[in-house]
Amino acid sequence: MSTALLLSVGALALLDTLSPTILGVTVYMLLSERSKVTGRLMVYLGTVACFYFVAGLILMLGLDTITRAISNITDNMIVSRGMFIIGLALLIGSFFVPTKKTAPKVRKPKSASMLAMVALGFTTGVVEVGTALPYFAAIGIMTAAHLHPVEWLPMLAGYNVIMVLPGILLLAAHCLFKGWLQGPLERIRLYIEKNSGSALSWMMTIAGLILLLNS
């Protein structure tokens, strides 16, 4: 496993921390919940991370099966060209993402129960997995590297921990500096509402460049 591979996957994981939905739900709960917010938010973030881990596991196993069924020469050529085409498409598509400042539809829990948090986390995963561009790029890079499961399983798990890490850090800061954090949380909420389009554009640009560099 090369350092370049680790850096590429790590950079994509950091890019995925900008998910407006996960951050939006986290900020909403910290601003609105008055009791048991720690347990409820951890259940939500844990559900999202587990959902993406299982989805990534299925994709990794499926792609690995497909690539092993093809000869090595053809395999490398197809994967390399596929990554190049997808990377180029993301790079070009990033210029056409609407940057109008409109508030994203942040999914808010209808109930404060733990079951509701699991349902919200699962819903977040189902709705957002189709636009998880950095995650798909990371899976493509790991598949192209022909890593053994012993190598890519920890990377996949680490990716998902990093993805929800901002939510965990915000929760920790909320517990330590509850009164002081209200203002910054409001500013984060407003920033997410106003810049969701720009964030998606930057995510597409960086994910596309990383794919091009690894193709």
Side-chain angles (χ1 to χ4, degrees):
M1 188 188 307
S2 67
T3 303
L5 175 65
L6 288 173
L7 290 175
S8 295
V9 175
L12 288 166
L14 289 174
L15 188 61
D16 232 347
T17 62
L18 300 176
S19 167
T21 300
I22 298 175
L23 284 175
V25 171
T26 299
V27 171
Y28 169 80
M29 289 184 64
L30 291 177
L31 287 172
S32 62
E33 293 291 329
R34 291 292 179 266
S35 63
K36 298 181 181 179
V37 66
T38 300
R40 291 166 182 161
L41 191 52
M42 287 302 295
V43 168
Y44 168 74
L45 294 173
T47 302
V48 173
C50 288
F51 178 91
Y52 274 97
F53 177 78
V54 173
L57 186 66
I58 294 171
L59 285 172
M60 284 294 298
L61 292 174
L63 289 174
D64 186 62
T65 301
I66 293 172
T67 55
R68 287 181 185 278
I70 308 174
S71 66
N72 289 332
I73 296 177
T74 308
D75 177 333
N76 292 333
M77 181 180 65
I78 290 177
V79 172
S80 179
R81 288 184 178 179
M83 289 173 61
F84 179 84
I85 292 171
I86 294 172
L88 187 61
L90 287 175
L91 193 60
I92 295 173
S94 67
F95 293 98
F96 297 94
V97 175
T99 56
K100 184 179 179 181
K101 296 182 178 181
T102 54
K105 294 181 179 178
V106 175
R107 289 162 184 81
K108 301 173 183 178
K110 296 180 180 180
S111 166
S113 69
M114 292 299 182
L115 184 59
M117 295 300 102
V118 173
L120 181 62
F122 183 79
T123 302
T124 298
V126 170
V127 174
E128 299 295 323
V129 72
T131 58
L133 303 176
Y135 196 41
F136 293 140
I139 289 173
I141 290 171
M142 288 188 286
T143 301
H146 303 290
L147 300 177
H148 190 275
V150 174
E151 296 175 302
W152 62 256
L153 272 172
M155 291 179 65
L156 197 65
Y159 186 107
N160 286 281
V161 171
I162 293 173
M163 184 176 65
V164 298
L165 190 57
I168 297 174
L169 293 177
L170 283 175
L171 175 60
H174 175 78
C175 294
L176 292 173
F177 314 105
K178 187 173 182 179
W180 174 84
L181 201 62
Q182 293 299 107
L185 284 175
E186 284 288 355
R187 287 192 287 274
I188 292 173
R189 180 184 64 80
L190 291 173
Y191 182 84
I192 292 172
E193 290 180 353
K194 293 179 180 179
N195 297 279
S196 58
S198 298
L200 177 59
S201 178
W202 275 107
M203 289 172 75
M204 291 175 66
T205 300
I206 298 172
L209 286 173
I210 292 176
L211 278 177
L212 288 174
L213 291 172
N214 284 273
S215 64

